[in-house]
Amino acid sequence: PGDPHASVTLRITPLSSYLEGARVMLIAFEPSASSLEPSAPIMAMQADETLQLGLQQELRHSRENLQAMLEEMETSNEELQATNEELTSSNEELHSTNEELQAVNEELHTVNAEYASRINEMAELTADVDNILRSSDIGTLLLDEHLTIRKFTPAATRHIPLLDHDIGRPIAHFAFKLGGEDFLGDVNKVLAGAAAVERRGETAGSQHVLIRISPYISKSATPTGVLVSFVDITTLAEANARTQKVLDSMPQQIAMIDRTGVIVMVNAAWDRFARDNGAVNNDRVGVGTNYLEACSEERLPEQSEGHDAREGLRRLIAGDID
């Protein structure tokens, strides 16, 4: 019973039979899809359209995301390409810099070799000078522009008490051994540009020493230090003392003069004669004065004996006569 116009599906299915030789079939009537409620196809269609719209929207989003990713990958590729070009340029610059550094390194190696050679030459020269100064009997003291001790030779320690740790100390700490303020005054004069100064002094043990203060000149003409030399003249001083005693014992008036006419030594008789004749301090014909100049001040007749003696002395000093 039902709708006489309803559509059915006829389904015939063969079945096995327990009767041998008989054929049995199952005939079934099933309602067809068209006999279902009329709203089902509409609902199915709406569901399919919603699903299709969702899929289309997801596909559109996927395409947009894919396009954005492609654009980002393209931008990244361009950036990577630019970075690669920069790296290539940097690599070329580094290679060029490496070559320049290699060339500079070779130049530095050459300069270093030259400096090493010069340092060896300077070391040999310094050793030669040190050995020469050490082997000589002349004490040498080198002062810098601030008058502090830079260097000294072993012979200098016989005249001034110096030790190795005194290098860098001011010479003023030891000046009392060399004449005090007078010595410092001479040193400052020489450092200021004056000529070399010679002075005599006595050191410990009654040793007589000739102190020569000379300017130390390096590259410029201005002194950059002072060189003090000590020459032991004890033997000479003792010989002069003995000579003085011998001359003083003689009754004759004796004066010794150098080639310039300066009196370097007189005996007691000469000194007494000068004082008896008005030279109270013996400042006209004493030691250190020029005897020829003193003779020139006296107006002697050309035919006199004194005039002949003066002219003979002049010729003797000049080497005209023996």
Side-chain angles (χ1 to χ4, degrees), residues 6-10 29-32 34-35:
S7 298
V8 295
T9 300
L10 177 63
F29 297 92
E30 298 177 356
S32 62
S34 59
S35 63

Side-chain angles (χ1 to χ4, degrees), residues 244-311:
Q244 185 70 53
K245 288 182 179 180
V246 172
L247 294 177
D248 289 342
S249 65
M250 300 177 69
Q252 295 86 357
Q253 300 154 15
I254 300 174
M256 298 177 62
I257 62 176
D258 61 14
R259 289 187 174 276
T260 63
V262 176
I263 300 174
V264 295
M265 183 179 289
V266 297
N267 67 347
W270 177 282
D271 188 60
R272 285 194 302 268
F273 179 79
R275 294 178 186 276
D276 292 341
N277 288 272
V280 180
N281 297 322
N282 204 4
D283 53 353
R284 291 183 65 250
V285 290
V287 175
T289 62
N290 193 299
Y291 183 67
L292 293 180
E293 293 178 359
C295 292
S296 299
E297 293 176 0
E298 298 182 4
R299 298 183 179 274
L300 300 174
E302 293 185 1
Q303 303 300 325
S304 66
E305 184 177 346
H307 181 271
D308 292 340
R310 184 180 64 187
E311 292 302 317

Side-chain angles (χ1 to χ4, degrees), residues 18 45-46 75 95 99 119 152 182 196 213 278 295:
Y18 61 88
M45 183 181 298
Q46 292 177 349
T75 303
H95 183 70
E99 292 179 352
I119 289 173
F152 60 88
D182 293 337
I213 306 170
C295 292

Side-chain angles (χ1 to χ4, degrees), residues 19 37-38 57 76 87 106 113 123 154 157 165 171 208 213 225 235 239 258 277 284 288 297 313 322:
L19 297 177
E37 296 181 0
Q57 190 174 10
S76 299
L87 289 174
E106 292 176 357
T157 59
H165 63 263
I171 190 60
H208 296 268
I213 306 170
T235 303
D258 61 14
N277 288 272
R284 291 183 65 250
E297 293 176 0
L313 183 60
D322 296 332

Side-chain angles (χ1 to χ4, degrees), residues 119-130:
I119 289 173
N120 291 333
E121 292 178 0
M122 290 295 295
E124 292 178 358
L125 180 60
T126 302
D128 292 341
V129 173
D130 288 341

